[in-house]
Amino acid sequence: MKTFSASHKTVFVVDHCPYMAESCRQQVEYDMLTKTRAQGIIPLAPVSKSLWTCAVECSMEYCRILFDIYPFKKLVNYIVSDSEFHFLNTWSQEDQNVQELMSALAAVGPPNPREDPECCSILHGLVAAVESLCKITEYQHEARTTLMDNAEHVTNKGRIICITNAKSDTHVRMLEDCVQETIQEHNKLAAGSDRLMQIQQCELVLIHTYPLGDDTLVSDRPRKEISPVLTSEVHSVRAGRHLAGKLNILVQQHFDLASTTITNIPMKEEQHANTSANYDVELLHHKDAHLEFIRSGELHPPGSASRDSSLKETVTLKWCTPRTNSVELHFCTGAFRISPVDVNSRPSSCLTNFLLNGRSVLLEQPRKSGSKVISHMLSSHGGEIFLHVLSSTRSTLEDPPSISEGCGGRVTDYRITDFGEFMRENRLTPFPEPKQIDAPARAPLERAKDQLERHTRYWPMIISQTTIFNMQAVVPLASLIVKESLTEEDVLTCQKTIYNLVDMERKNDPLPISTVGTRGKGPKRDEQYRIMWNELETLVRAHINSTERHQRVLDCIVACRSKPPEEEERKKRGRKREEKEDKSEKNGKDVEPDKTWQESERLKGVLECEKEELAEAEIIKDSPDSPEPLNKKPRLAIEETPPVEKAKGPVSLLAMWTSRINTANSRKHQEFVGRLNSVNNKAELYQHLKEENGKDTHENGKASR
């Protein structure tokens, strides 16, 4: 459905009856500009505008702001009502400019106070406004032509702004009833016509204006629903600057506008050319220019205020020294057309001319402390002035930040390649609007959101946190299980992947288990497969609610994980054997070098004691006074010493290392039967021949022949 909001069509109905010629009683001093006045000359009396003049000026300001910010697709139809209605323009885009309306208003002229009030009524204009809303605009016609057979899907909504001088609240209710009845009548006519469109929604804004000093006879009323098609609101406003302020607020509400005030604009004084003063200029623009303030919670930074209590609040930005080089490129996140609130003031005129001459002005947020933050820039393009929103955060044009600076802390093993593939699989592309009534129930955007939700139910971000996503063998299952529905072929592919994993476990193939942050060899092979199966089951369980075939994949995993008792017993024995070998290897590493070293030190000490005793015996024997030494018994320590070849000196490093390797290797294999049964390391061969022949193959140590 092609939707046109109520802002697409706006109909102004301005009362042109005789009572609108009454003075608004807001005096304007126009003789104050005379610099010198001779004595005795009485100054001219101030003048005041009529209610008609005030209504025309304020409605023209409304239209000027609208045309400045929305040059296309926001249309205005201006109607003047007295004894009859007068269309001042059409819905055509060529008529959407202030010059066209001002020329038409000049031709209409002011109200005639001598005209019969009974012949004039605002009702003529309201009926014409409803009729105008039923007419098709160029944009609606283009949408209806595009949709062809489904042209009824193009919506038709609009807004009527009526400026009049009502007599009472009863008079206001009568005007609302008139609009309601007229909408019903014209909707019936439009139902049978190809050139008209029925009104789906109409917003009626009644503005009662009255002179200063008078009591209002009409009370304000917020928006109220009169019928499913019509809503109405009433504003009672004094004429003059109060009416201008009210329409300024309404144009911001109707078209999603916001206000920004540029402060500290240096400007030379006319009276003193050598001096300058700072001025403020208020601008209107689309409210998205303040989106960064809304997100950061600083919608009204320090200094934000309103120049008038009747106006909406404005965001204040400070003027920075303008850049002389307009070619300088800034990282801009948005550009919005602007319109000055007081377009005829000297500060607004000077700022507009300054920007149209090709200059650019940077704007900063006023802060009490800290460095300044430049958030916006004013610049012109093609004769139109735009407010550019500058990014105050890190620019995407700069070097990207290190991935270790992200939300995960100093993590460097993110699944960057997998995430790139994930983005390609969930890429959004334009989708043509359905041309048939039997279009799919869910919009493409909703289907895309559902797909993204399925893909992110289980998606580890770090390589060390996953096992299955590091295995090429699991890729077919991981890519299929996230689908909304599975075919029988998909189920078979998933089951085949599971059986391959079972075969890998049977062969005891290694798994890509990350050992980052762990000491030693990491988890055992059985533990690795247990972790892998748990993660695979977690992935599949996240999608079992999709279809019955997803449940079948999970059932296959559960069945493969439940091993027979003999398989479990075999694995338990294997685990015990591995633990025993690791323990013995560890003890061999620690104990064997210590024993060898202690034995070497003991032998070294024994040999040194023997040398000392022999030397002492030689000295006593050679002495002439000494008696014959007694024969001593050999020490038991000598008898307990190892063979001579091992006691000649300290054990070398090679001998120690060889002894350690032989001891460790002896524990890792089963000894030969012949070596175990040998006598003095000599084994008897061909014993079976003796048993077969019944003869003694050895007799007295010699072989029989």
Side-chain angles (χ1 to χ4, degrees):
M1 178 179 288
K2 185 68 175 178
T3 302
F4 288 91
S5 65
S7 301
H8 177 60
K9 290 180 177 180
T10 301
V11 183
F12 261 104
V13 181
V14 182
D15 201 340
H16 195 249
C17 294
Y19 46 79
M20 293 295 289
E22 184 181 354
S23 171
C24 71
R25 299 173 193 169
Q26 180 179 340
Q27 296 182 347
V28 179
E29 298 283 349
Y30 71 94
D31 197 25
M32 59 185 297
L33 300 179
T34 305
K35 295 182 179 179
T36 59
R37 182 183 295 114
Q39 293 183 352
I41 297 179
I42 302 174
L44 298 175
V47 297
S48 61
K49 303 175 184 179
S50 64
L51 296 178
W52 162 258
T53 303
C54 293
V56 169
E57 288 181 350
C58 296
S59 59
M60 283 295 100
E61 273 297 291
Y62 185 103
C63 296
R64 179 192 65 80
I65 294 171
L66 175 59
F67 295 152
D68 284 349
I69 300 177
Y70 295 100
F72 306 105
K73 294 188 178 181
K74 306 294 183 185
L75 309 178
V76 174
N77 192 201
Y78 207 98
I79 300 175
V80 173
S81 178
D82 43 30
S83 58
E84 56 182 357
F85 60 86
H86 307 276
F87 283 105
L88 302 189
N89 68 337
T90 64
W91 292 123
S92 174
Q93 187 65 54
E94 290 78 12
D95 292 344
Q96 302 302 309
N97 57 80
V98 176
Q99 291 77 13
E100 185 77 20
L101 294 177
M102 294 296 287
S103 300
L105 285 169
V108 172
N112 184 5
R114 291 182 293 275
E115 192 174 359
D116 185 8
E118 298 296 330
C119 299
C120 301
S121 175
I122 192 64
L123 292 175
H124 303 301
L126 293 175
V127 173
V130 175
E131 179 183 349
S132 178
L133 288 179
C134 291
K135 295 179 181 178
I136 303 175
T137 65
E138 298 174 356
Y139 302 102
Q140 289 176 324
H141 177 70
E142 181 182 357
R144 283 160 59 94
T145 305
T146 305
L147 293 179
M148 297 297 290
D149 296 337
N150 298 324
E152 65 273 5
H153 290 176
V154 179
T155 60
N156 183 33
K157 301 177 183 179
R159 180 182 294 114
I160 299 175
I161 302 177
C162 177
I163 304 178
T164 183
N165 181 268
K167 298 179 176 63
S168 62
D169 291 337
T170 305
H171 186 204
V172 170
R173 286 193 292 271
M174 184 267 293
L175 298 178
E176 294 172 344
D177 294 339
C178 175
V179 173
Q180 170 65 18
E181 295 174 0
T182 307
I183 290 175
Q184 294 176 354
E185 295 175 0
H186 281 77
N187 278 348
K188 293 178 182 179
L189 296 175
S193 174
D194 294 336
R195 298 184 178 181
L196 299 176
M197 293 182 66
Q198 291 182 324
I199 300 174
Q200 276 93 28
Q201 181 181 352
C202 177
E203 297 179 9
L204 178 61
V205 181
L206 289 172
I207 301 176
H208 165 67
T209 180
Y210 58 96
L212 271 70
D214 287 2
D215 294 333
T216 178
L217 302 176
V218 177
S219 57
D220 286 349
R221 194 189 66 208
R223 180 175 299 183
K224 175 185 175 183
E225 183 176 338
I226 306 299
S227 69
V229 180
L230 178 64
T231 61
S232 173
E233 57 184 284
V234 181
H235 303 277
S236 182
V237 189
R238 287 175 290 179
R241 63 185 182 89
H242 303 282
L243 181 60
K246 173 58 69 174
L247 282 174
N248 185 285
I249 293 176
L250 290 178
V251 73
Q252 295 182 50
Q253 294 176 349
H254 293 164
F255 298 98
D256 296 329
L257 305 183
S259 170
T260 296
T261 300
I262 315 300
T263 63
N264 295 340
I265 302 176
M267 197 174 301
K268 292 184 178 181
E269 295 285 351
E270 290 181 342
Q271 294 84 355
H272 307 284
N274 295 329
T275 62
S276 63
N278 293 334
Y279 291 91
D280 298 348
V281 174
E282 186 178 1
L283 306 176
L284 293 180
H285 50 79
H286 196 275
K287 66 179 182 180
D288 284 352
H290 291 166
L291 199 58
E292 290 294 330
F293 294 149
I294 297 175
R295 289 174 179 172
S296 62
E298 297 181 0
L299 181 58
H300 303 296
S304 296
S306 177
R307 299 196 306 168
D308 193 321
S309 59
S310 62
L311 299 180
K312 291 183 69 176
E313 288 189 344
T314 178
V315 173
T316 302
L317 298 176
K318 286 181 61 177
W319 168 286
C320 288
T321 303
R323 297 285 184 181
T324 56
N325 184 11
S326 59
V327 185
E328 183 177 354
L329 187 64
H330 297 277
F331 176 45
C332 175
T333 60
F336 306 93
R337 290 182 173 86
I338 61 100
S339 180
V341 172
D342 193 358
V343 68
N344 294 321
S345 67
R346 180 171 170 267
S348 298
S349 177
C350 291
L351 177 62
T352 302
N353 293 331
F354 181 84
L355 296 171
L356 291 177
N357 288 332
R359 306 292 293 275
S360 298
V361 178
L362 297 177
L363 307 175
E364 64 172 294
Q365 301 178 26
R367 293 198 169 189
K368 296 181 180 179
S369 61
S371 60
K372 64 180 181 180
V373 178
I374 298 177
S375 59
H376 294 76
M377 180 183 71
L378 284 172
S379 184
S380 63
H381 305 284
E384 293 182 288
I385 301 176
F386 290 83
L387 178 65
H388 300 74
V389 182
L390 305 181
S391 177
S392 56
T393 57
R394 187 193 291 263
S395 170
T396 55
L397 303 178
E398 301 174 6
D399 293 335
S402 172
I403 196 168
S404 62
E405 299 175 8
C407 59
R410 301 201 62 82
V411 178
T412 56
D413 60 338
Y414 286 109
R415 297 171 57 201
I416 301 176
T417 305
D418 295 342
F419 187 69
E421 186 65 28
F422 168 80
M423 289 191 294
R424 280 191 291 271
E425 293 175 355
N426 293 275
R427 182 173 48 190
L428 292 178
T429 57
F431 190 85
E433 296 184 7
K435 297 183 178 181
Q436 300 178 359
I437 299 178
D438 55 348
R442 290 193 304 164
L445 180 60
E446 297 300 323
R447 298 205 302 271
K449 289 180 179 178
D450 292 343
Q451 176 178 327
L452 183 62
E453 188 273 333
R454 292 195 305 273
H455 279 71
T456 55
R457 287 178 186 174
Y458 182 76
W459 203 92
M461 295 181 62
I462 302 175
I463 297 175
S464 59
Q465 291 180 347
T466 179
T467 300
I468 60 175
F469 289 103
N470 300 331
M471 299 172 59
Q472 194 65 28
V474 189
V475 171
L477 186 147
S479 60
L480 291 175
I481 201 66
V482 296
K483 294 174 61 175
E484 187 175 7
S485 59
L486 298 178
T487 62
E488 286 295 333
E489 184 178 355
D490 295 338
V491 175
L492 292 177
T493 303
C494 293
Q495 292 175 347
K496 183 179 179 181
T497 302
I498 298 170
Y499 297 149
N500 289 339
L501 296 177
V502 174
D503 190 54
M504 288 176 58
E505 185 178 12
R506 183 181 59 81
K507 295 178 180 178
N508 212 17
D509 291 343
L511 295 180
I513 296 291
S514 176
T515 58
V516 177
T518 60
R519 295 182 178 180
K521 298 181 179 180
K524 301 291 183 183
R525 193 63 53 83
D526 288 349
E527 180 66 16
Q528 294 178 8
Y529 275 95
R530 188 188 65 81
I531 294 174
M532 184 272 294
W533 284 114
N534 287 341
E535 186 178 7
L536 186 64
E537 185 174 343
T538 301
L539 172 65
V540 177
R541 281 190 183 277
H543 301 275
I544 58 174
N545 294 328
S546 300
T547 61
E548 182 267 339
R549 292 188 173 97
H550 288 79
Q551 181 66 42
R552 286 169 55 187
V553 176
L554 177 63
D555 295 342
C556 180
I557 294 176
V558 174
C560 291
R561 290 197 66 179
S562 57
K563 301 179 179 62
E566 57 272 12
E567 181 71 14
E568 289 293 333
E569 185 65 25
R570 184 185 66 81
K571 287 190 172 292
K572 184 183 295 185
R573 289 197 303 269
R575 284 196 298 268
K576 289 183 177 180
R577 184 171 62 252
E578 288 182 2
E579 291 175 359
K580 184 177 180 180
E581 290 177 357
D582 290 344
K583 186 175 180 181
S584 62
E585 183 177 349
K586 182 178 179 182
N587 293 335
K589 287 181 181 179
D590 298 339
V591 177
E592 197 64 34
D594 293 341
K595 286 186 176 180
T596 308
W597 183 257
Q598 292 173 3
E599 186 70 17
S600 173
E601 290 295 323
R602 190 179 67 81
L603 293 174
K604 184 177 179 181
V606 170
L607 292 175
E608 287 179 355
C609 290
E610 279 189 352
K611 287 180 181 179
E612 291 176 359
E613 291 179 356
L614 289 174
E616 184 179 353
E618 288 294 330
I619 293 171
I620 296 172
K621 182 178 181 180
D622 294 341
S623 174
D625 300 330
S626 62
E628 190 71 21
L630 298 176
N631 292 329
K632 297 183 179 179
K633 293 183 179 180
R635 298 192 176 209
L636 295 177
I638 299 298
E639 295 177 357
E640 296 174 359
T641 56
V644 180
E645 62 268 17
K646 292 187 179 180
K648 288 181 180 180
V651 181
S652 66
L653 181 62
L654 176 61
M656 294 169 58
W657 179 256
T658 305
S659 174
R660 175 187 176 279
I661 293 298
N662 292 336
T663 305
N665 290 339
S666 65
R667 293 191 180 97
K668 291 187 177 180
H669 64 81
Q670 187 175 0
E671 187 60 278
F672 294 120
V673 177
R675 186 175 294 165
L676 292 175
N677 300 329
S678 64
V679 179
N680 296 327
N681 284 335
K682 293 182 180 181
E684 184 178 2
L685 302 178
Y686 309 110
Q687 295 184 12
H688 61 283
L689 296 178
K690 176 181 176 181
E691 297 174 359
E692 291 177 358
N693 298 330
K695 297 180 181 180
D696 189 357
T697 57
H698 288 272
E699 185 175 341
N700 299 324
K702 296 181 181 180
S704 64
R705 297 194 175 199

PDB file of all heavy atoms in Angstrom, residues 60 66 80 115 178 197 215 282 295 303 394 440 535 545 572 582 596 608 653:
ATOM      1  N   MET A  60       1.055  32.909   5.381  1.00  0.00           N
ATOM      2  CA  MET A  60       2.134  32.956   4.394  1.00  0.00           C
ATOM      3  C   MET A  60       3.463  32.509   5.022  1.00  0.00           C
ATOM      4  O   MET A  60       4.289  31.873   4.359  1.00  0.00           O
ATOM      5  CB  MET A  60       2.267  34.366   3.832  1.00  0.00           C
ATOM      6  CG  MET A  60       1.203  34.748   2.802  1.00  0.00           C
ATOM      7  SD  MET A  60       1.295  33.754   1.286  1.00  0.00           S
ATOM      8  CE  MET A  60      -0.003  32.577   1.579  1.00  0.00           C
ATOM      9  N   LEU A  66       7.236  25.845   4.981  1.00  0.00           N
ATOM     10  CA  LEU A  66       6.957  24.550   4.372  1.00  0.00           C
ATOM     11  C   LEU A  66       7.644  24.417   3.017  1.00  0.00           C
ATOM     12  O   LEU A  66       8.281  23.393   2.718  1.00  0.00           O
ATOM     13  CB  LEU A  66       5.447  24.367   4.230  1.00  0.00           C
ATOM     14  CG  LEU A  66       4.978  23.108   3.494  1.00  0.00           C
ATOM     15  CD1 LEU A  66       5.477  21.861   4.197  1.00  0.00           C
ATOM     16  CD2 LEU A  66       3.462  23.087   3.386  1.00  0.00           C
ATOM     17  N   VAL A  80      -9.921  31.323  -0.051  1.00  0.00           N
ATOM     18  CA  VAL A  80     -10.467  32.500   0.633  1.00  0.00           C
ATOM     19  C   VAL A  80     -11.987  32.398   0.579  1.00  0.00           C
ATOM     20  O   VAL A  80     -12.567  32.106  -0.481  1.00  0.00           O
ATOM     21  CB  VAL A  80      -9.981  33.800  -0.034  1.00  0.00           C
ATOM     22  CG1 VAL A  80     -10.693  35.007   0.568  1.00  0.00           C
ATOM     23  CG2 VAL A  80      -8.475  33.939   0.130  1.00  0.00           C
ATOM     24  N   GLU A 115     -19.782  45.311   3.349  1.00  0.00           N
ATOM     25  CA  GLU A 115     -20.500  44.183   2.768  1.00  0.00           C
ATOM     26  C   GLU A 115     -21.429  43.581   3.815  1.00  0.00           C
ATOM     27  O   GLU A 115     -21.164  43.636   5.021  1.00  0.00           O
ATOM     28  CB  GLU A 115     -19.498  43.138   2.262  1.00  0.00           C
ATOM     29  CG  GLU A 115     -20.132  42.066   1.386  1.00  0.00           C
ATOM     30  CD  GLU A 115     -19.076  41.135   0.789  1.00  0.00           C
ATOM     31  OE1 GLU A 115     -17.873  41.359   1.050  1.00  0.00           O
ATOM     32  OE2 GLU A 115     -19.453  40.184   0.085  1.00  0.00           O
ATOM     33  N   CYS A 178     -20.579  20.497   9.829  1.00  0.00           N
ATOM     34  CA  CYS A 178     -20.649  20.779   8.393  1.00  0.00           C
ATOM     35  C   CYS A 178     -19.543  20.048   7.641  1.00  0.00           C
ATOM     36  O   CYS A 178     -19.784  19.464   6.577  1.00  0.00           O
ATOM     37  CB  CYS A 178     -20.553  22.290   8.173  1.00  0.00           C
ATOM     38  SG  CYS A 178     -20.480  22.779   6.437  1.00  0.00           S
ATOM     39  N   MET A 197     -10.858  10.845  -5.259  1.00  0.00           N
ATOM     40  CA  MET A 197     -10.460   9.839  -4.277  1.00  0.00           C
ATOM     41  C   MET A 197     -11.215  10.074  -2.978  1.00  0.00           C
ATOM     42  O   MET A 197     -11.422  11.231  -2.575  1.00  0.00           O
ATOM     43  CB  MET A 197      -8.946   9.903  -4.001  1.00  0.00           C
ATOM     44  CG  MET A 197      -8.079   9.508  -5.176  1.00  0.00           C
ATOM     45  SD  MET A 197      -6.319   9.560  -4.755  1.00  0.00           S
ATOM     46  CE  MET A 197      -6.227   8.252  -3.543  1.00  0.00           C
ATOM     47  N   ASP A 215     -12.237  39.650  25.232  1.00  0.00           N
ATOM     48  CA  ASP A 215     -12.336  38.330  25.845  1.00  0.00           C
ATOM     49  C   ASP A 215     -12.710  37.311  24.782  1.00  0.00           C
ATOM     50  O   ASP A 215     -13.568  37.568  23.922  1.00  0.00           O
ATOM     51  CB  ASP A 215     -13.396  38.327  26.951  1.00  0.00           C
ATOM     52  CG  ASP A 215     -12.989  39.221  28.120  1.00  0.00           C
ATOM     53  OD1 ASP A 215     -11.764  39.396  28.316  1.00  0.00           O
ATOM     54  OD2 ASP A 215     -13.881  39.751  28.808  1.00  0.00           O
ATOM     55  N   GLU A 282      17.482  32.187  14.659  1.00  0.00           N
ATOM     56  CA  GLU A 282      16.771  30.921  14.875  1.00  0.00           C
ATOM     57  C   GLU A 282      16.404  30.306  13.539  1.00  0.00           C
ATOM     58  O   GLU A 282      15.861  30.980  12.655  1.00  0.00           O
ATOM     59  CB  GLU A 282      15.519  31.143  15.720  1.00  0.00           C
ATOM     60  CG  GLU A 282      14.813  29.837  16.092  1.00  0.00           C
ATOM     61  CD  GLU A 282      13.594  30.056  16.971  1.00  0.00           C
ATOM     62  OE1 GLU A 282      13.291  31.221  17.284  1.00  0.00           O
ATOM     63  OE2 GLU A 282      12.948  29.047  17.333  1.00  0.00           O
ATOM     64  N   ARG A 295      19.858  10.692  21.139  1.00  0.00           N
ATOM     65  CA  ARG A 295      20.499   9.431  21.491  1.00  0.00           C
ATOM     66  C   ARG A 295      21.436   9.599  22.679  1.00  0.00           C
ATOM     67  O   ARG A 295      21.548   8.712  23.527  1.00  0.00           O
ATOM     68  CB  ARG A 295      21.282   8.900  20.288  1.00  0.00           C
ATOM     69  CG  ARG A 295      20.397   8.394  19.158  1.00  0.00           C
ATOM     70  CD  ARG A 295      21.236   8.014  17.944  1.00  0.00           C
ATOM     71  NE  ARG A 295      20.401   7.505  16.862  1.00  0.00           N
ATOM     72  CZ  ARG A 295      20.853   7.247  15.641  1.00  0.00           C
ATOM     73  NH1 ARG A 295      22.123   7.445  15.355  1.00  0.00           N
ATOM     74  NH2 ARG A 295      20.038   6.793  14.715  1.00  0.00           N
ATOM     75  N   GLY A 303      22.601  26.110  27.690  1.00  0.00           N
ATOM     76  CA  GLY A 303      22.364  27.270  26.848  1.00  0.00           C
ATOM     77  C   GLY A 303      21.098  27.172  26.033  1.00  0.00           C
ATOM     78  O   GLY A 303      20.673  28.137  25.414  1.00  0.00           O
ATOM     79  N   ARG A 394      34.162   8.555  16.410  1.00  0.00           N
ATOM     80  CA  ARG A 394      35.220   8.136  15.489  1.00  0.00           C
ATOM     81  C   ARG A 394      34.656   7.971  14.080  1.00  0.00           C
ATOM     82  O   ARG A 394      33.629   7.343  13.877  1.00  0.00           O
ATOM     83  CB  ARG A 394      35.832   6.815  15.959  1.00  0.00           C
ATOM     84  CG  ARG A 394      37.060   6.400  15.138  1.00  0.00           C
ATOM     85  CD  ARG A 394      37.413   4.967  15.446  1.00  0.00           C
ATOM     86  NE  ARG A 394      37.912   4.821  16.796  1.00  0.00           N
ATOM     87  CZ  ARG A 394      39.188   4.781  17.106  1.00  0.00           C
ATOM     88  NH1 ARG A 394      40.098   4.899  16.144  1.00  0.00           N
ATOM     89  NH2 ARG A 394      39.574   4.626  18.351  1.00  0.00           N
ATOM     90  N   PRO A 440       2.447 -12.383  -0.126  1.00  0.00           N
ATOM     91  CA  PRO A 440       2.750 -13.135   1.111  1.00  0.00           C
ATOM     92  C   PRO A 440       2.338 -12.359   2.346  1.00  0.00           C
ATOM     93  O   PRO A 440       2.359 -11.129   2.376  1.00  0.00           O
ATOM     94  CB  PRO A 440       4.269 -13.322   1.033  1.00  0.00           C
ATOM     95  CG  PRO A 440       4.749 -12.335   0.016  1.00  0.00           C
ATOM     96  CD  PRO A 440       3.621 -12.136  -0.942  1.00  0.00           C
ATOM     97  N   GLU A 535      28.416 -29.406  22.576  1.00  0.00           N
ATOM     98  CA  GLU A 535      28.184 -28.175  21.806  1.00  0.00           C
ATOM     99  C   GLU A 535      27.296 -28.434  20.600  1.00  0.00           C
ATOM    100  O   GLU A 535      26.425 -27.625  20.262  1.00  0.00           O
ATOM    101  CB  GLU A 535      29.525 -27.594  21.358  1.00  0.00           C
ATOM    102  CG  GLU A 535      29.385 -26.242  20.672  1.00  0.00           C
ATOM    103  CD  GLU A 535      30.714 -25.650  20.270  1.00  0.00           C
ATOM    104  OE1 GLU A 535      31.746 -26.347  20.402  1.00  0.00           O
ATOM    105  OE2 GLU A 535      30.727 -24.499  19.801  1.00  0.00           O
ATOM    106  N   ASN A 545      12.364 -26.513  17.767  1.00  0.00           N
ATOM    107  CA  ASN A 545      10.967 -26.071  17.731  1.00  0.00           C
ATOM    108  C   ASN A 545      10.537 -25.645  16.340  1.00  0.00           C
ATOM    109  O   ASN A 545       9.372 -25.269  16.143  1.00  0.00           O
ATOM    110  CB  ASN A 545      10.755 -24.908  18.707  1.00  0.00           C
ATOM    111  CG  ASN A 545      10.949 -25.329  20.153  1.00  0.00           C
ATOM    112  OD1 ASN A 545      10.669 -26.475  20.506  1.00  0.00           O
ATOM    113  ND2 ASN A 545      11.434 -24.421  20.984  1.00  0.00           N
ATOM    114  N   LYS A 572      37.117 -46.810  29.267  1.00  0.00           N
ATOM    115  CA  LYS A 572      37.551 -46.606  30.653  1.00  0.00           C
ATOM    116  C   LYS A 572      38.930 -47.218  30.866  1.00  0.00           C
ATOM    117  O   LYS A 572      39.799 -46.618  31.516  1.00  0.00           O
ATOM    118  CB  LYS A 572      36.516 -47.230  31.604  1.00  0.00           C
ATOM    119  CG  LYS A 572      36.828 -46.972  33.079  1.00  0.00           C
ATOM    120  CD  LYS A 572      35.814 -47.661  33.971  1.00  0.00           C
ATOM    121  CE  LYS A 572      34.434 -47.078  33.771  1.00  0.00           C
ATOM    122  NZ  LYS A 572      33.466 -47.666  34.729  1.00  0.00           N
ATOM    123  N   ASP A 582      51.142 -41.672  32.089  1.00  0.00           N
ATOM    124  CA  ASP A 582      51.531 -40.283  32.352  1.00  0.00           C
ATOM    125  C   ASP A 582      52.123 -40.145  33.742  1.00  0.00           C
ATOM    126  O   ASP A 582      53.100 -39.421  33.959  1.00  0.00           O
ATOM    127  CB  ASP A 582      50.322 -39.355  32.192  1.00  0.00           C
ATOM    128  CG  ASP A 582      49.889 -39.243  30.741  1.00  0.00           C
ATOM    129  OD1 ASP A 582      50.695 -39.627  29.861  1.00  0.00           O
ATOM    130  OD2 ASP A 582      48.752 -38.799  30.496  1.00  0.00           O
ATOM    131  N   THR A 596      70.234 -41.618  40.278  1.00  0.00           N
ATOM    132  CA  THR A 596      71.533 -41.776  39.599  1.00  0.00           C
ATOM    133  C   THR A 596      72.563 -40.828  40.178  1.00  0.00           C
ATOM    134  O   THR A 596      73.732 -41.179  40.389  1.00  0.00           O
ATOM    135  CB  THR A 596      71.343 -41.519  38.098  1.00  0.00           C
ATOM    136  OG1 THR A 596      70.284 -42.333  37.618  1.00  0.00           O
ATOM    137  CG2 THR A 596      72.613 -41.840  37.326  1.00  0.00           C
ATOM    138  N   GLU A 608      87.233 -42.028  47.374  1.00  0.00           N
ATOM    139  CA  GLU A 608      88.115 -41.046  48.013  1.00  0.00           C
ATOM    140  C   GLU A 608      88.595 -41.559  49.386  1.00  0.00           C
ATOM    141  O   GLU A 608      89.760 -41.378  49.769  1.00  0.00           O
ATOM    142  CB  GLU A 608      87.389 -39.721  48.159  1.00  0.00           C
ATOM    143  CG  GLU A 608      87.223 -38.989  46.827  1.00  0.00           C
ATOM    144  CD  GLU A 608      86.470 -37.700  47.006  1.00  0.00           C
ATOM    145  OE1 GLU A 608      86.004 -37.426  48.146  1.00  0.00           O
ATOM    146  OE2 GLU A 608      86.322 -36.945  46.020  1.00  0.00           O
ATOM    147  N   LEU A 653      77.291 -37.743  32.083  1.00  0.00           N
ATOM    148  CA  LEU A 653      75.942 -37.282  31.729  1.00  0.00           C
ATOM    149  C   LEU A 653      75.284 -38.210  30.718  1.00  0.00           C
ATOM    150  O   LEU A 653      74.082 -38.481  30.772  1.00  0.00           O
ATOM    151  CB  LEU A 653      76.010 -35.850  31.178  1.00  0.00           C
ATOM    152  CG  LEU A 653      74.674 -35.216  30.787  1.00  0.00           C
ATOM    153  CD1 LEU A 653      73.755 -35.108  32.000  1.00  0.00           C
ATOM    154  CD2 LEU A 653      74.905 -33.846  30.172  1.00  0.00           C
TER     155      LEU A 653
END
